[in-house]
Amino acid sequence: MILMRENTILELYETMLRSRCLEEAITRLWEEGYIFGEMHLGIGEEAIIAGVLSHIIPGDAIATDHRSTPPFLMRGVDPEVLLLELLGHQKGLCLGMGGHMHLFNQELLLTSSGIVGSSGPSAVGFALAAKYRKTNNIAVAFFGEGAMNQGMLLESLNLAASMNLPVLFVCKDNNWAITTQSNEVTGGVLLDRVRGFGIEAREIDGSDVKAVWQATKTAIPRMRGGKKSPYFIQAHCTHKEGHFLGDPLLRFHRAPKKEFGAVTGPLTKSVLHYKGGRIDKRIGSVAKVLSLIAKSRMQLSDSKDPIKRLEKDQKELGKQFSQIQLAIQSEVDALVTGVMNTLKQEVAQ
Ligand SMILES: Cc1ncc(C[n+]2csc(CCOP(=O)(O)OP(=O)(O)O)c2C)c(N)n1
Ligand SMILES: [Mg+2]
């Protein structure tokens, strides 16, 4: 194990917390109706993004999925420009047309897409360019475990292996793909699948930022070296907001009385409807929905929260953590107030 300096731990904490506070502010803006459409947050995966990106150097490329706010923020995109993008403003990162999912930054070689699995081909392209240009840069692909069943991601693993491309594949495994539990739709063992391509792979606890930092610190120098080769990390995590903000599975746990009728009404109707499948099948489906709601509860637990985990693991840094909390919260508050005031003035003009 490589020794971690106290400063590194504090920097990782600050990076994760800035992302968390910004996404909590985004949650409020979404709830107030300022941000339109579905909103997928990276709350719960901050340790994976922070731990990996802390080893990135200029010229490295990052391709990410629909949970793009943490990687874009942590890679150095101005948070104001990022927030304006989510608000659909023309001064946003992609002129307000990309939303939170379809983003690009040429200077930082940073891209995101809502097409599940597409970070694989993007990262392979970036890595091929780095290889042709004979730089020591790498490309990182972030994706969920659901994407591991997408053909294009498997093709990317194959190409990266056969062409010796320096791609770090980072699978953020929360075991859910929207409302599907991934172990129900995934054959075999993911690491075995990856090793079948001849790619070195390891599994870590993605809620432990120190574990992610260590794993990446070990993997990346080998990828930058003479023998370019891909590497795969499977990092387990939990999304505390479920698939997206307002996730119906979690809404039930948060306000059971209020949601009871909203859930049971349509389910009862679907069982009693005069048309449809056999009654035993219908009852089976209802039981499956109810069991999914019950299982989704575990996502609400704090036990896999990477920020709380670091606070618990490094109790001796409590004082410094508190100072960082105060500073980051006021930084994000000032950012959001400033942006919203500017927008309100623009609307009033
Ligand atoms: C090619 C494609 N198929 C389906 C979808 C719909 N979709 C959006 S997110 C998602 C689940 C992705 O699961 P995972 O990759 O595990 O990421 P997570 O949301 O769990 O972080 C699906 C199926 C899509 N956006 N793109
Ligand atoms: Mg998933």
Side-chain angles (χ1 to χ4, degrees):
M1 194 149 55
I2 306 152
L3 199 69
M4 282 184 84
R5 287 182 307 122
E6 194 177 284
N7 264 356
T8 307
I9 296 174
L10 291 171
E11 275 166 26
L12 289 169
Y13 181 77
E14 182 176 328
T15 305
M16 293 196 293
L17 197 68
R18 183 176 288 106
S19 175
R20 176 69 59 92
C21 289
L22 182 63
E23 290 206 302
E24 283 172 353
I26 289 168
T27 302
R28 290 190 288 276
L29 293 173
W30 182 85
E31 283 167 351
E32 288 163 18
Y34 290 108
I35 295 174
F36 297 110
E38 288 179 359
M39 175 52 71
H40 309 87
L41 300 179
I43 288 184
E45 30 177 86
E46 295 97 338
I48 305 176
I49 314 293
V52 170
L53 293 193
S54 63
H55 300 291
I56 287 310
I57 61 170
D60 287 347
I62 318 292
T64 186
D65 61 6
H66 48 292
R67 305 190 187 278
S68 57
T69 308
F72 273 63
L73 179 70
M74 294 185 198
R75 185 69 181 98
V77 172
D78 180 346
E80 186 174 334
V81 175
L82 202 50
L83 189 55
L84 284 167
E85 179 63 34
L86 304 193
L87 291 159
H89 195 278
Q90 58 190 11
K91 287 190 184 147
L93 183 67
C94 296
L95 310 177
M97 292 195 274
H100 73 286
M101 278 196 273
H102 299 106
L103 300 176
F104 183 65
N105 183 284
Q106 190 170 0
E107 200 186 321
L108 294 169
L109 298 181
L110 194 50
T111 180
S112 77
S113 167
I115 309 293
V116 169
S118 65
S119 58
S122 299
V124 163
F126 279 130
L128 186 59
K131 193 174 170 181
Y132 267 119
R133 298 175 73 206
K134 297 191 172 23
T135 69
N136 65 347
N137 285 118
I138 65 157
V140 180
F142 287 113
F143 50 89
E145 84 301 331
M148 281 297 288
N149 294 326
Q150 268 289 344
M152 66 181 124
L153 189 57
L154 299 174
E155 290 173 38
S156 305
L157 288 163
N158 180 51
L159 275 181
S162 61
M163 297 173 80
N164 293 319
L165 299 177
V167 181
L168 177 62
F169 291 94
V170 184
C171 177
K172 306 167 294 163
D173 186 347
N174 67 330
N175 194 33
W176 287 86
I178 313 188
T179 48
T180 301
Q181 285 217 280
S182 295
N183 55 12
E184 287 179 20
V185 291
T186 303
V189 175
L190 287 189
L191 287 187
D192 292 347
R193 198 187 279 187
V194 173
R195 287 177 185 136
F197 288 108
I199 297 177
E200 219 181 310
R202 69 177 288 192
E203 190 174 14
I204 53 173
D205 180 350
S207 68
D208 179 357
V209 72
K210 291 188 291 175
V212 181
W213 187 91
Q214 296 276 359
T216 318
K217 175 103 180 148
T218 316
I220 288 187
R222 282 189 269 163
M223 300 173 62
R224 293 195 197 285
K227 187 186 171 296
K228 308 280 180 206
S229 55
Y231 194 89
F232 186 99
I233 293 176
Q234 179 182 17
H236 296 278
C237 64
T238 302
H239 292 146
K240 281 192 76 176
E241 288 304 326
H243 180 67
F244 43 27
L245 280 180
D247 187 317
L249 296 180
L250 295 186
R251 237 177 20 223
F252 185 84
H253 298 294
R254 287 190 168 131
K257 274 194 199 151
K258 195 171 151 220
E259 294 295 324
F260 188 77
V263 172
T264 51
L267 285 182
T268 316
K269 243 187 185 170
S270 71
V271 173
L272 299 179
H273 200 275
Y274 71 98
K275 271 188 184 167
R278 279 191 355 231
I279 193 72
D280 57 329
K281 295 251 180 207
R282 295 192 206 184
I283 292 171
S285 303
V286 169
K288 186 148 192 219
V289 172
L290 294 176
S291 116
L292 272 182
I293 293 176
K295 281 184 194 161
S296 68
R297 186 177 180 80
M298 64 195 177
Q299 293 178 89
L300 294 168
S301 148
D302 273 347
S303 67
K304 289 278 173 193
D305 182 323
I307 295 179
K308 292 208 162 68
R309 160 108 194 232
L310 189 59
E311 287 166 355
K312 204 168 142 210
D313 286 356
Q314 304 284 154
K315 281 212 177 73
E316 73 287 359
L317 297 176
K319 222 173 168 183
Q320 286 100 311
F321 286 157
S322 303
Q323 284 166 354
I324 293 173
Q325 282 163 18
L326 285 177
I328 295 292
Q329 193 60 63
S330 60
E331 176 192 311
V332 173
D333 286 349
L335 166 77
V336 176
T337 311
V339 167
M340 293 315 285
N341 283 343
T342 313
L343 288 192
K344 282 172 191 164
Q345 277 166 17
E346 280 179 12
V347 171
Q349 273 164 16

